[in-house]
Amino acid sequence: MEMRLEVVQVPVADVDRSKSFYTEKLGFALDHDVEHIPGMRVVQMTPPGSATSIVIGTGMTSMLPGSLEGLQLVVPDLADVRSELQGRGAEISEIQDMGGVLFAFFDDPDGNRWTLQGETPPDVRTAHLS
């Protein structure tokens, strides 16, 4: 059996504002922005280097804007990515060391909460497996 998580819906109030945030401030690639049927707009975007995309839009979900938590972007160098995103205008928290794994946090314009995680160093990964 094979399963791939390819798309995650993110509930937003203002599609154009959120599209701008994800593409301009976070550097996500815009995959498509279409209205398949009247009232159902689908905007799909992919983080750089990711196999999984997010989708925002209208007429797709009953989740309330800002209700999503826990999406995690893993990056090779958290300090570099944090600095680049701040340079693009994104507000990112300070980096926190949680047992050898580094994290930073941000919200999108609606309050959906995201986590940036630095890649887990091999020695920390090994220690967690014992």
Side-chain angles (χ1 to χ4, degrees), residues 8-125:
V8 175
Q9 287 189 21
V10 177
V12 301
D14 183 323
V15 176
D16 290 319
R17 177 184 68 179
S18 294
K19 176 182 168 184
S20 175
F21 172 79
Y22 285 105
T23 58
E24 295 171 18
K25 292 191 178 181
L26 298 184
F28 286 23
L30 176 63
D31 302 321
H32 60 261
D33 182 347
V34 297
E35 189 170 2
H36 293 292
I37 58 174
M40 184 179 182
R41 180 177 174 192
V42 178
V43 180
Q44 185 170 328
M45 297 164 285
T46 304
S50 180
T52 303
S53 301
I54 65 165
V55 67
I56 62 173
T58 56
M60 295 184 299
T61 183
S62 61
M63 288 188 290
L64 295 175
S67 64
L68 193 61
E69 295 183 21
L71 290 179
Q72 198 158 323
L73 300 168
V74 179
V75 300
D77 186 322
L78 182 53
D80 282 350
V81 170
R82 180 178 178 271
S83 178
E84 181 175 336
L85 295 180
Q86 286 181 311
R88 292 169 165 263
E91 294 182 23
I92 312 292
S93 75
E94 294 295 323
I95 295 174
Q96 300 176 26
D97 185 332
M98 297 185 182
V101 182
L102 303 177
F103 293 91
F105 306 92
F106 68 91
D107 294 348
D108 76 3
D110 287 291
N112 293 299
R113 296 173 50 190
W114 288 78
T115 301
L116 290 171
Q117 176 192 327
E119 282 186 1
T120 305
D123 59 323
V124 173
R125 186 178 309 120

